[in-house]
Amino acid sequence: MSVVRVENVDISITRGGIKIVENISFEIAPGEILGLVGESGSGKTTVSMALLGHTRKGAVIETGSILIDGHQIVGAKEEDLRALRGGIIAYVPQDPGTALNPGLRISKQIVESLEKHHPEQSAEVHMARVREILTEVALPSDKDFLMRYPHQLSGGQQQRVAIAIAFACRPKVIVCDEPTTGLDVTTQSRVLATIRALCREHGVAALYVSHDLAVVSELADNVAVMYAGKIVEIGNRDEIFFHSSHPYTRRLIRALPDIAGRNQILGIAGYAPMPWERPAGCAFAPRCADAQAICSQEAPAHTQITQTHFIDCHRYKDATKIAPTPRVDRDVVSASGDNFLLSISALDGFYGSRQVLFDTNIHIEPGECVALVGESGSGKTTLSRCIGGLHDDYTGEITYFGQVLGKHAMERKKEQRRDIQYIFQSPYASINPRRPIGATIGRQLDLFFGLKGSEAQMRIKELLDLVSLPHSIVTSFPDQLSGGERQRVAIARALAAQPKLIVCDEITSALDVSVQASVIETLNQLRESTQVGLLFVTHNLALTRTIADRVAVMRKGTIVEYGGIDSVFNSPKADYTSRLLEHTPSLK
Amino acid sequence: MKRIRDFFNQGGLLLFVVGRVLAGIPIVVALSLLVFMATQALPGDAAVAYLANTATPERLALIREQLHLNDPIWLQYIHWASGALRFDFGTTLTGETQVTTILAERIQNTLILMGSSGLVAIPLSIAIGVYSAVRRGKLFDNVSSLITLVLAALPEFVVAIFVVFLLATNVFQIFPAIAFIDPGTLAWSRPDMLVLPTLTLVLAVTPYVSRIMRGSMIEVMESEYIQMARLKGLSERTVILRHALPNAIAPTIQVIALQLAWLAGGVVVVEAVFAYPGIGTVMIDSVKGRDLPIVQAITLMIAALYVVLNILADIGTILSTPRLRTKYARKNVKSDVFAAMGGDE
């Protein structure tokens, strides 16, 4: 008996009637976890919120039926929804940092749903339950802890508090919206274990929304894949991850970085269409290698393959199976010190009186990619900012082709500033929103090479080709571009300077996996064709393996392990590295 | 500088307050210098004003000597400032009375007026701000937006005249248009006289504070923790009063403090309109009579009030924001450091 039963749900924007999601159907049984995967704009969050009867402002559940433990959600009165929310069905937010109230103590935030849904119980019973649930999510439950505010907890603790809030009233269903996105791998794996255990023990049905297929593969019993507002494939875990027939699912899995380093990753060209630009027929057709005429004319039917496996595709029977491209092991033999592109020796970094980097030593050779991995607070971004000349509070030396670099970018020669380029994490914040893309890239050409006019235009087009962006983009403004396109613009801007070294600071963490894969492909090709060196900063170990030659593992400001990527990942020497590898989710 | 700042930051709220008061001293000194220079720059000569028709060159010279008007200007300042430190602003020019004696009673009347205005205006504007944010885009919000915009655009003496027109003379005759308060009695002995001046100041202050409150409340209502509170099934009333309001008030405190400080200046004009016996009427009379010691004393006090209210606003902001409050409360320093280091994960 399913406790969640969703049938033919359409959700659309009230003004204009554009459908955000269409024809959504699935069921979840008690104790079962359904993973809902999809890239940004696929409508997965819209679907998950609909289970709680909540829609974004201006959107409405138009047709269909959502039964939660026998209660109809569609068209229910606000008052009846309030009785269900937090009691029968609870929500675990994506970012507990913003979803917990900064002005209320955590005990209050947990106890208030009990007060709301079980007013018949005494305050002592409520507090006893608060203590019990905190223990279940492996948090302390002493008075000192209960009296804390959210800002006095770490990110992992905050997420556990959010889970405790969700489970406080013993709900029958929980909805988790990417609850581990902002967490480090070790914390993530503990939070996932907590969610899994609570669902199993108490027979709670869970909808787990995520863009991270590896996480879903470790957690979910069944998986639904969403694309452009529709569930294009749904089945049990093995059917989706190992016997998928939908071209999109297959490509998505191939875009996933593999921690074991067996295969190369493969991006999907283009990007998922927004609700108002979805094409007729199958929405994936424009990006699909197997598409035929019928795909862009007729929407594919919902076809049953096995008892549990359904698919929406015209071509699932004879779609090409893409054989994974095996990855070649890439352990490099070090060149001699004179040829080092960049060399960092005995660097100690500080924020005022606090030391954050301890005796760091790294070198990068031309055309090489060195990955800097570590959890948040490990100092990896500080180190890359030192290299970029953005953080000058350090002692020790950074040399560039044997010459000591000035600490601040302003103390460096113009050629040095040109040769070392920096790409920031967020393409939303690092590109001037008031300049067209052409001007953003052209500025570099003018500044470093004095290129103007038609010459500059030619060069801009070459650069756009390099990062696979259409030429028409030069007159666009950043807000007209998707995240992946913006990050490519940032890469093109860095390449405009013809750099010898690019510092990439978590450049793919804001991107979808398919886009991430194509950005990585682009960088790998550039490395071969231009011999540019990369310092690739990331917390994603699996990703490291697809791009890096060597890796430095950082912990609390110290490099705990440094060596060739395959030797480090195959036989890690530091305990910390093994722990990171062990907690990194992967398809198994 | 940095080490001094660190010392105060680590020492809890009390040390923070001490630090802010110490930092306020140079500001008040600078203000006193400005006040002194500005009053010196006023056209006219105190000695001429003092003697009026009876001025002869000999008597003028004598008076200038008595008032130290021949001393170099910096000496005059030091003379005046050292007096001000002991709350001795000298004697008035027109009589032999001490400035402080004249001001003592008037200040109380002004504080009564400011206090009653603040007590009405602050809760009222918070209520209006919250309610318009909750009813955003609805009738109440649109109407209150329009009214507050009009009121904010009008100078307070226009508002005062309008209030008199409406409630004292032409339309209704409910309250007295002029505040006849006997010398020697305080304003609260005649509450009816207080109504119109208070109402004027309330109308002048409410628009600003309610608009800021509305904006702050709207921002909070769109935050994720409000969505989270709703998804817990809490009633809208609980969501607004317990989850949104406390977080929306903190940013408004600074504006409230600035508006209260503004009241101290705005009161001058309003008192003049209603002939209310506070420092405002004294101020205007003194400016007319070139009675510099009084003008200087009042201006300096208003300026110092700005500094004090700003310090109070900072303390208020800290107390109403848990993140700041725990930073300054000593016993929790340990758990903060703990969280900053990544907790016990």
Side-chain angles (χ1 to χ4, degrees):
Chain A
M1 258 320 289
S2 300
V3 66
V4 177
R5 195 184 284 267
V6 178
E7 272 169 29
N8 306 321
V9 165
D10 283 12
I11 300 174
S12 41
I13 301 170
T14 32
R15 209 180 286 180
I18 294 166
K19 286 185 176 169
I20 308 170
V21 300
E22 228 177 306
N23 207 13
I24 302 295
S25 304
F26 58 82
E27 289 182 13
I28 313 175
E32 206 176 73
I33 301 177
L34 173 69
L36 185 62
V37 299
E39 299 187 287
S40 44
S42 62
K44 56 188 189 301
T45 297
T46 307
V47 169
S48 68
M49 292 300 217
L51 295 199
L52 292 121
H54 181 89
T55 48
R56 241 169 300 173
K57 235 182 204 161
V60 65
I61 305 176
E62 213 167 65
T63 53
S65 145
I66 300 175
L67 284 173
I68 302 291
D69 194 33
H71 303 272
Q72 180 58 259
I73 298 292
V74 180
K77 273 185 271 170
E78 197 63 21
E79 203 185 308
D80 299 333
L81 286 176
R82 271 203 290 271
L84 293 174
R85 288 176 186 162
I88 304 287
I89 178 163
Y91 175 72
V92 181
Q94 177 166 16
D95 180 2
T98 56
L100 294 179
N101 191 323
L104 291 177
R105 300 180 191 276
I106 58 163
S107 55
K108 183 73 200 165
Q109 300 196 42
I110 303 174
V111 88
E112 67 181 355
S113 29
L114 291 163
E115 287 167 354
K116 159 78 191 174
H117 297 288
H118 297 286
E120 76 285 357
Q121 294 172 350
S122 69
E124 287 79 55
V125 176
H126 287 159
M127 278 321 286
R129 176 64 186 153
V130 170
R131 293 213 165 83
E132 184 185 32
I133 191 69
L134 280 175
T135 312
E136 280 191 54
V137 296
L139 284 175
S141 58
D142 55 295
K143 190 159 176 287
D144 173 60
F145 192 82
L146 288 171
M147 296 299 276
R148 286 200 198 170
Y149 288 97
H151 74 270
Q152 294 170 309
L153 309 179
S154 69
Q157 289 177 323
Q158 289 177 345
Q159 192 53 279
R160 278 150 200 268
V161 169
I163 293 171
I165 291 172
F167 279 93
C169 296
R170 298 191 173 86
K172 299 223 161 110
V173 181
I174 61 161
V175 173
C176 306
D177 186 5
E178 313 223 22
T180 63
T181 310
L183 303 180
D184 289 325
V185 278
T186 43
T187 317
Q188 164 174 287
S189 91
R190 283 184 210 163
V191 168
L192 290 178
T194 308
I195 292 177
R196 191 187 296 125
L198 286 172
C199 288
R200 294 279 183 274
E201 266 167 50
H202 305 291
V204 176
L207 179 71
Y208 190 94
V209 178
S210 180
H211 70 283
D212 190 333
L213 279 85
V215 167
V216 170
S217 83
E218 293 205 337
L219 190 68
D221 304 298
N222 297 310
V223 181
V225 181
M226 281 194 80
Y227 186 81
K230 287 183 181 166
I231 292 181
V232 295
E233 189 170 12
I234 184 167
N236 67 37
R237 178 186 174 276
D238 289 350
E239 285 165 342
I240 295 297
F241 286 106
F242 302 109
H243 309 290
S244 162
S245 316
H246 199 289
Y248 175 64
T249 313
R250 287 184 187 170
R251 290 298 294 263
L252 209 52
I253 292 167
R254 293 287 300 108
L256 194 66
D258 177 18
I259 186 83
R262 292 160 303 203
N263 309 318
Q264 284 184 12
I265 55 171
L266 191 65
I268 311 177
Y271 58 93
M274 291 288 125
W276 52 90
E277 56 185 25
R278 285 174 190 156
C282 170
F284 185 61
R287 300 171 79 188
C288 181
D290 292 304
Q292 286 183 342
I294 185 169
C295 297
S296 49
Q297 288 156 7
E298 242 176 78
H302 201 55
T303 318
Q304 183 161 18
I305 298 178
T306 71
Q307 186 77 34
T308 47
H309 194 177
F310 292 83
I311 190 165
D312 285 28
C313 179
H314 291 295
R315 308 263 303 131
Y316 73 94
K317 277 184 192 138
D318 31 27
T320 36
K321 282 224 161 72
I322 327 144
T325 326
R327 175 180 163 279
V328 190
D329 269 13
R330 256 213 300 258
D331 267 3
V332 280
V333 188
S334 240
S336 71
D338 305 338
N339 294 328
F340 289 169
L341 176 58
L342 190 90
S343 167
I344 298 167
S345 42
L347 189 142
D348 290 334
F350 303 87
Y351 278 102
S353 55
R354 197 159 63 91
Q355 186 167 3
V356 292
L357 291 170
F358 301 87
D359 190 30
T360 38
N361 298 280
I362 292 181
H363 72 268
I364 304 170
E365 293 161 35
E368 186 190 41
C369 174
V370 174
L372 197 55
V373 299
E375 301 189 296
S376 52
S378 62
K380 56 189 192 302
T381 291
T382 309
L383 182 57
S384 51
R385 288 173 62 83
C386 289
I387 298 169
L390 301 170
H391 184 85
D392 59 3
D393 194 358
Y394 67 84
T395 61
E397 256 180 22
I398 303 179
T399 56
Y400 174 71
F401 282 119
Q403 283 179 306
V404 178
L405 283 176
K407 286 189 177 172
H408 195 274
M410 286 302 131
E411 298 164 21
R412 297 179 182 178
K413 292 187 198 131
K414 195 175 180 183
E415 304 82 72
Q416 293 174 336
R417 288 206 306 264
R418 183 191 65 207
D419 287 356
I420 301 175
Q421 290 289 315
Y422 202 105
I423 304 176
F424 293 89
Q425 175 168 9
S426 167
Y428 296 89
S430 67
I431 298 173
N432 189 336
R434 292 177 176 275
R435 279 174 164 236
I437 300 308
T440 293
I441 301 173
R443 163 93 182 110
Q444 295 272 73
L445 298 172
D446 184 19
L447 179 69
F448 290 124
F449 308 105
L451 280 186
K452 285 190 173 105
S454 58
E455 250 181 309
Q457 290 308 317
M458 290 260 296
R459 181 80 187 111
I460 290 172
K461 283 176 184 158
E462 282 170 31
L463 288 163
L464 290 175
D465 286 339
L466 269 181
V467 295
S468 337
L469 284 174
H471 293 174
S472 58
I473 217 169
V474 285
T475 53
S476 306
F477 285 88
D479 63 352
Q480 296 168 296
L481 309 182
S482 70
E485 287 175 317
R486 287 184 210 212
Q487 198 58 288
R488 280 159 201 270
V489 169
I491 295 172
R493 174 175 61 183
L495 293 175
Q498 301 184 359
K500 302 276 195 315
L501 173 72
I502 306 180
V503 179
C504 308
D505 186 5
E506 298 269 13
I507 61 169
T508 60
S509 58
L511 307 179
D512 281 324
V513 277
S514 70
V515 182
Q516 164 177 287
S518 24
V519 167
I520 297 294
E521 281 178 301
T522 309
L523 286 174
N524 272 335
Q525 283 157 12
L526 284 170
R527 222 141 54 86
E528 264 172 43
S529 57
T530 66
Q531 286 297 296
V532 62
L534 297 180
L535 181 76
F536 197 84
V537 181
T538 182
H539 66 281
N540 185 338
L541 269 77
L543 188 60
T544 307
R545 197 144 201 192
T546 66
I547 186 162
D549 301 303
R550 279 182 300 125
V551 60
V553 183
M554 284 196 85
R555 180 175 194 233
K556 292 184 179 166
T558 310
I559 293 178
V560 295
E561 188 155 11
Y562 181 43
I565 182 84
D566 287 306
S567 52
V568 168
F569 277 30
N570 290 337
S571 45
K573 296 202 175 51
D575 289 346
Y576 182 67
T577 316
S578 341
R579 210 158 72 228
L580 284 182
L581 288 168
E582 183 193 322
H583 288 300
T584 300
S586 68
L587 288 183
K588 282 183 207 93
Chain B
M1 258 330 264
K2 191 173 173 304
R3 284 174 66 179
I4 299 172
R5 206 161 50 224
D6 282 352
F7 173 74
F8 282 117
N9 282 350
Q10 281 158 12
L13 192 58
L14 186 69
L15 266 181
F16 169 81
V17 173
V18 173
R20 282 305 308 262
V21 170
L22 287 178
I25 289 172
I27 298 175
V28 174
V29 169
L31 283 171
S32 72
L33 204 61
L34 273 175
V35 166
F36 185 76
M37 297 312 243
T39 44
Q40 289 296 319
L42 281 177
D45 183 325
V48 176
Y50 177 64
L51 291 171
N53 296 335
T54 60
T56 64
E58 297 77 39
R59 297 188 66 182
L60 275 176
L62 191 69
I63 288 295
R64 288 209 171 101
E65 191 62 33
Q66 276 178 11
L67 296 174
H68 304 288
L69 293 181
N70 295 328
D71 288 350
I73 198 133
W74 58 270
L75 203 61
Q76 290 187 41
Y77 170 72
I78 288 178
H79 188 76
W80 171 74
S82 58
L85 269 183
R86 301 186 306 266
F87 289 101
D88 173 10
F89 291 93
T91 54
T92 61
L93 288 183
T94 42
E96 295 303 307
T97 344
Q98 285 280 315
V99 170
T100 25
T101 320
I102 292 198
L103 290 186
E105 188 180 281
R106 300 299 194 100
I107 283 178
Q108 295 188 57
N109 280 339
T110 296
L111 285 179
I112 289 170
L113 178 56
M114 282 174 64
S116 58
S117 310
L119 279 180
V120 177
I122 294 169
L124 178 71
S125 44
I126 288 177
I128 292 177
V130 169
Y131 197 66
S132 354
V134 172
R135 312 282 302 166
R136 189 182 175 189
K138 305 263 170 59
L139 185 69
F140 178 85
D141 183 32
N142 292 338
V143 171
S144 75
S145 277
L146 189 72
I147 294 175
T148 51
L149 185 68
V150 169
L151 283 174
L154 289 175
E156 61 276 9
F157 66 88
V158 177
V159 176
I161 291 166
F162 176 72
V163 164
V164 168
F165 177 83
L166 189 69
L167 294 176
T169 56
N170 298 39
V171 184
F172 301 105
Q173 285 90 36
I174 307 173
F175 299 107
I178 300 282
F180 292 113
I181 295 169
D182 299 329
T185 53
L186 289 179
W188 52 43
S189 59
R190 298 294 307 274
D192 55 327
M193 304 283 177
L194 260 175
V195 172
L196 292 190
T198 302
L199 181 62
T200 309
L201 287 174
V202 167
L203 288 178
V205 168
T206 305
Y208 294 101
V209 180
S210 66
R211 286 181 150 248
I212 297 290
M213 188 66 208
R214 175 180 177 271
S216 170
M217 190 71 183
I218 284 177
E219 202 183 310
V220 169
M221 290 298 281
E222 278 173 2
S223 71
E224 277 180 47
Y225 56 83
I226 294 302
Q227 177 179 323
M228 182 71 193
R230 288 189 174 131
L231 292 182
K232 276 182 188 172
L234 302 178
S235 69
E236 204 54 20
R237 189 188 157 79
T238 313
V239 169
I240 292 164
L241 294 183
R242 188 193 288 162
H243 283 258
L245 186 59
N247 287 301
I249 268 186
T252 316
I253 288 178
Q254 300 283 344
V255 177
I256 291 177
L258 275 180
Q259 284 298 312
L260 284 180
W262 174 88
L263 270 181
V267 94
V268 173
V269 178
V270 174
E271 283 183 8
V273 173
F274 292 100
Y276 181 89
I279 56 166
T281 37
V282 183
M283 175 89 165
I284 286 178
D285 291 345
S286 315
V287 169
K288 279 186 202 150
R290 300 277 169 273
D291 204 336
L292 291 192
I294 293 187
V295 176
Q296 287 167 336
I298 295 178
T299 322
L300 187 62
M301 275 189 293
I302 293 179
L305 186 67
Y306 262 84
V307 174
V308 170
L309 281 170
N310 265 310
I311 294 175
L312 288 178
D314 285 349
I315 296 171
T317 307
I318 290 173
L319 290 180
S320 63
T321 314
R323 184 184 283 277
L324 297 173
R325 190 167 73 225
T326 52
K327 190 173 134 199
Y328 287 107
R330 235 183 236 189
K331 69 173 192 188
N332 271 330
V333 164
K334 217 164 71 190
S335 61
D336 269 356
V337 172
F338 197 55
M341 285 168 56
D344 61 357
E345 291 297 333

